């Protein structure tokens, strides 16, 4: 009981008030920065496969596959596949299928020229060279489409990363293999 009384007395003094405020402030910054609740919150996305407008016969042409890849885990366990599709009108889409990774703060989808390396050696390489952000990851699970810029030279980019921009680390990545 004396310890509680002494603590209350200390917290009423200027130094105690200052330390309490500092503690609350540091806790708030830590929560904002790490966003630990996202580890327990899944966001599932079910984007439909992109299709072209129907032809005069009413058929919908299917997109052609330009490249494929399988995601490997880096900082967080990550599974799923990547396909780069081209529609008959020339537009291209990066499609994540069966994505399953952890949620996190400020996750992005990057197309890069970095080699995909297993283990910790591959965690931080995807923003070192050429890379293009396709935007924020829509969700940490499911099937998702990301439009590729019309001027993106696919020959110059060899991989895709689920990238945490806040901590500069890859959650998972896939090497792109060109379709035959």
């Amino acid at each position: 009981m004396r310890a509680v009384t002494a603590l209350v007395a200390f917290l009423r003094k200027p130094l105690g008030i200052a330390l309490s405020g500092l503690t609350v402030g540091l806790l708030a910054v830590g929560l904002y920065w790490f966003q630990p609740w996202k580890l327990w919150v899944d966001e599932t996305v079910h984007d439909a496969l992109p299709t072209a407008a129907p032809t005069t016969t009413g058929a919908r042409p299917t997109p052609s596959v330009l490249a494929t890849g399988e995601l490997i885990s880096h900082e967080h366990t990550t599974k799923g596949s990547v396909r780069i599709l081209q529609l008959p009108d020339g537009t291209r889409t990066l499609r994540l299928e069966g994505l399953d990774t952890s949620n996190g703060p400020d996750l992005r989808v990057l197309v890069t020229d970095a080699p995909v390396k297993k283990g910790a050696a591959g965690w931080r390489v995807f923003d070192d060279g050429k890379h293009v952000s396709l935007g924020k990851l829509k969700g940490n699970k499911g099937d998702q489409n990301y439009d590729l810029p019309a001027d993106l030279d696919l020959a110059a980019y060899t991989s895709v990363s689920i990238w945490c921009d806040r901590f500069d680390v890859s959650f998972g990545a896939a090497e792109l293999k060109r379709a035959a």
Side-chain angles (χ1 to χ4, degrees):
M1 190 65 165
R2 283 186 190 186
V4 172
T5 304
L7 178 61
V8 169
F10 174 73
L11 292 175
R12 288 184 179 163
K13 294 181 180 179
L15 180 60
I17 293 169
L19 287 176
S20 297
L22 180 63
T23 300
V24 169
L26 288 174
L27 181 60
V29 167
L31 286 172
Y32 170 77
W33 189 254
F34 287 98
Q35 299 177 2
W37 57 88
K38 287 196 171 189
L39 291 174
W40 295 279
V41 176
D42 289 327
E43 295 178 42
T44 303
V45 175
H46 297 291
D47 284 347
L49 184 67
T51 58
T55 63
T56 55
T57 63
R60 286 192 181 270
T62 56
S64 57
V65 178
L66 301 179
T68 61
E70 291 296 319
L71 291 164
I72 66 166
S73 299
H74 280 145
E75 174 70 20
H76 293 266
T77 301
T78 302
K79 298 176 186 171
S81 62
V82 176
R83 290 195 302 163
I84 295 181
L85 307 171
Q86 182 168 333
L87 294 169
D89 67 3
T91 60
R92 297 173 299 174
T93 300
L94 183 138
R95 181 162 171 85
L96 299 174
E97 294 179 324
L99 176 65
D100 186 1
T101 191
S102 297
N103 206 340
D106 206 14
L107 295 180
R108 309 270 172 176
V109 178
L110 298 185
V111 180
T112 81
D113 67 348
V116 176
K117 300 175 185 176
K118 291 184 178 182
W123 288 11
R124 299 188 185 277
V125 299
F126 295 99
D127 67 344
D128 291 346
K130 290 193 320 188
H131 62 280
V132 174
S133 175
L134 302 181
K136 288 188 176 249
L137 186 70
K138 296 176 184 178
N140 64 308
K141 296 190 181 300
D143 303 327
Q144 304 168 33
N145 301 322
Y146 297 87
D147 293 333
L148 291 170
D151 62 346
L152 182 75
D153 177 12
L154 284 178
Y157 296 90
T158 58
S159 60
V160 172
S161 174
I162 307 301
W163 183 257
C164 180
D165 214 27
R166 169 109 7 112
F167 294 105
D168 290 330
V169 67
S170 173
F171 275 33
E175 179 182 348
L176 293 173
K177 294 178 176 69
R178 306 293 175 223

